[in-house]
Amino acid sequence: MKKLPILLLILCCTSLIACSKGQQINGHNTRTAFRSVKALKNRLSPDARIEFEVSFWTLRDSIKNEKEFLNAVDGKKPEEIIAMGKELYQQRKNSGFAGYEKYTSWDDMIAKFGKERIDQDNRKGPKEEPKDKANDVLYKL
């Protein structure tokens, strides 16, 4: 009976520790990092989601060593990743990085990516099922 309060205390502490990292990237390995990024981006607004994705993949592109990349993003919140992405954008823009010359600012780049994503979503449209095509009653004369 004396062990029950101790067991409950340990269980509560464990659950609090596990739940407190829900808004951070788990960078223990690549798989967990990508999984936590996916979960985090689904919780963000559409505008912040694009900014977060662009920042994350810009960081991934700039840090080639996997271990260094995981250390850089481990424990970071989406706001911190976005800030790191903005800083890296500015460094690359100032150094004349190819591809950034067509954007006047970070916000301009994010707006264009957002527009491209909307255009892609609009192009997809409804898909025709092959089954529907087979049941078509229009005949060629």
Side-chain angles (χ1 to χ4, degrees):
M1 199 60 163
K2 292 181 181 182
K3 294 180 182 180
L4 185 62
I6 295 171
L7 183 63
L8 286 174
L9 180 66
I10 291 172
L11 183 64
C12 288
C13 290
T14 307
S15 66
L16 287 174
I17 290 170
C19 294
S20 67
K21 299 211 178 227
Q23 290 294 323
Q24 297 176 349
I25 295 176
N26 180 356
H28 290 97
N29 60 46
T30 307
R31 187 179 195 192
T32 58
F34 291 160
R35 188 180 308 148
S36 59
V37 164
K38 184 177 179 180
L40 286 172
K41 77 176 185 178
N42 289 333
R43 295 181 194 151
L44 297 173
S45 68
D47 295 333
R49 182 179 302 159
I50 292 171
E51 222 173 348
F52 176 66
E53 287 180 50
V54 169
S55 298
F56 180 80
W57 291 109
T58 302
L59 288 168
R60 181 68 183 125
D61 180 58
S62 71
I63 305 172
K64 301 295 184 195
N65 185 325
E66 188 171 315
K67 192 168 191 141
E68 289 176 18
F69 170 71
L70 292 174
N71 287 336
V73 298
D74 186 34
K76 300 284 192 282
K77 294 182 178 182
E79 300 81 22
E80 295 171 310
I81 296 293
I82 292 170
M84 291 168 68
K86 284 181 181 180
E87 183 180 320
L88 183 60
Y89 165 83
Q90 200 56 49
Q91 288 173 1
R92 286 181 165 186
K93 177 92 171 148
N94 292 341
S95 67
F97 191 80
Y100 285 2
E101 65 272 353
K102 58 186 170 186
Y103 305 114
T104 57
S105 67
W106 170 262
D107 294 327
D108 180 42
M109 182 174 77
I110 296 301
K112 287 183 182 174
F113 281 139
K115 185 178 179 326
E116 286 176 12
R117 173 146 319 156
I118 290 170
D119 291 344
Q120 286 174 353
D121 291 342
N122 289 340
R123 268 185 271 161
K124 287 181 183 176
K127 293 183 179 178
E128 280 192 37
E129 296 281 331
K131 183 172 68 173
D132 294 339
K133 190 108 175 150
N135 294 328
D136 195 2
V137 293
L138 296 177
Y139 298 103
K140 294 182 183 177
L141 298 175

